[in-house]
Amino acid sequence: MGDTQSWTAAPAAAERARSVLAAAWSCAVTAEGGREEFVGAHSVDDDGRVLLQVPEDSALLAAAICAPRGEPSAVLEFADVAPVPVRNRIRARLWLAGWFVPEDDHLAFRATRVVLRPPSGAAVVDLDEFAAAEPDPLALAEAQLLTHLADCHSDAVERLTRLVEPDSLHGAVRVQPLAVDRHGLTLRIERTRAHGDVRLPFHTPADTVADLTERMHVLLTQASAASCPRPLQRQRTDGDG
């Protein structure tokens, strides 16, 4: 069953791509020398260029040094993984195709094509927009924020379901916080054999964690004034009790 809640006030593709890049801890690199996985080895400069620290015995480093013009083609892959345990934890994948250039003690990667693939479908991100975009201001704090909400405030998550249209909660067996950005909170609604996502937009963007606290209080106040949805109420009665 599809979810009828409207997706509104969402980050643009370029901003989403830069957020994935900023928060990812690992990346996979496919180049002429094969495929290698790197953990905690990359950083990103202001215009989205990836700087990769590689071991001296890396095949990728050898390919970069020996290739003509020192620029081997490569594809970098990053996964956006939900910090809260849910079904299908990969929220999006990001691919960057381009060129590596050896610089000092690292490899610098300049993208010539950027593709972001969330569940809604793959999109090619404009390179100028990608370079100009900034990561969501909550991107680096998101994992801690969501795990705290799920682990310590499950009652608040349940209350927020009062803001979800009843059709989207039909057959729900569990609701978890899936994502948060400056524009809103996304809930993952899990059913016995399927799942769907519903977005609760903030009334105005949150640029800091303090802003986010206020926006969440507004949503919870709105939820408290709303009636409890019958589908979830029935699930609580029929569940573990």
Side-chain angles (χ1 to χ4, degrees):
M1 177 179 294
D3 294 290
T4 56
Q5 199 84 359
S6 298
W7 280 74
T8 56
E15 181 182 348
R16 177 83 184 275
R18 290 295 299 270
S19 297
V20 172
L21 195 58
W25 181 242
S26 64
C27 70
V29 181
T30 302
E32 184 179 352
R35 179 181 173 89
E36 294 187 64
E37 301 278 346
F38 296 94
V39 178
H42 76 277
S43 59
V44 186
D45 64 14
D46 290 341
D47 64 353
R49 195 176 59 146
V50 178
L51 308 178
L52 187 65
Q53 301 281 347
V54 298
E56 292 183 359
D57 60 352
S58 168
L60 179 62
L61 179 59
I65 294 174
C66 299
R69 295 179 295 134
E71 297 182 348
S73 61
V75 175
L76 277 59
E77 179 181 347
F78 300 85
D80 178 21
V81 183
V84 175
V86 293
R87 295 177 189 157
N88 295 350
R89 291 184 70 174
I90 303 298
R91 302 181 297 190
R93 292 190 184 275
L94 176 67
W95 288 277
L96 278 65
W99 303 93
F100 271 119
V101 178
E103 289 186 2
D104 300 326
D105 60 344
H106 61 263
L107 295 177
F109 184 83
R110 176 68 68 177
T112 56
R113 183 177 175 86
V114 178
V115 178
L116 178 69
R117 193 186 72 184
S120 57
V124 177
V125 180
D126 181 85
L127 291 177
D128 290 336
E129 293 178 1
F130 177 77
E134 295 182 359
D136 185 90
L138 301 177
L140 297 181
E142 183 195 26
Q144 181 178 355
L145 292 168
L146 289 181
T147 53
H148 178 74
L149 179 60
D151 295 343
C152 303
H153 299 286
S154 58
D155 56 331
V157 176
E158 182 174 332
R159 197 189 327 166
L160 288 171
T161 62
R162 299 182 182 187
L163 300 177
V164 177
E165 295 179 7
D167 286 349
S168 293
L169 287 171
H170 182 75
V173 297
R174 186 173 72 155
V175 178
Q176 290 276 59
L178 177 71
V180 68
D181 54 63
R182 66 193 297 262
H183 300 288
L185 173 72
T186 301
L187 300 178
R188 166 64 54 84
I189 300 172
E190 295 185 348
R191 307 179 183 91
T192 302
R193 300 180 182 276
H195 65 269
D197 301 333
V198 168
R199 188 166 178 83
L200 303 179
F202 300 142
H203 66 278
T204 188
D207 293 325
T208 66
V209 173
D211 289 345
L212 175 64
T213 300
E214 188 276 336
R215 307 302 186 267
M216 290 296 296
H217 283 163
V218 170
L219 287 180
L220 288 168
T221 298
Q222 294 171 345
S224 296
S227 59
C228 187
R230 292 182 180 179
L232 196 63
Q233 196 171 47
R234 183 166 58 249
Q235 176 59 40
R236 291 201 308 270
T237 302
D238 296 340
D240 296 335

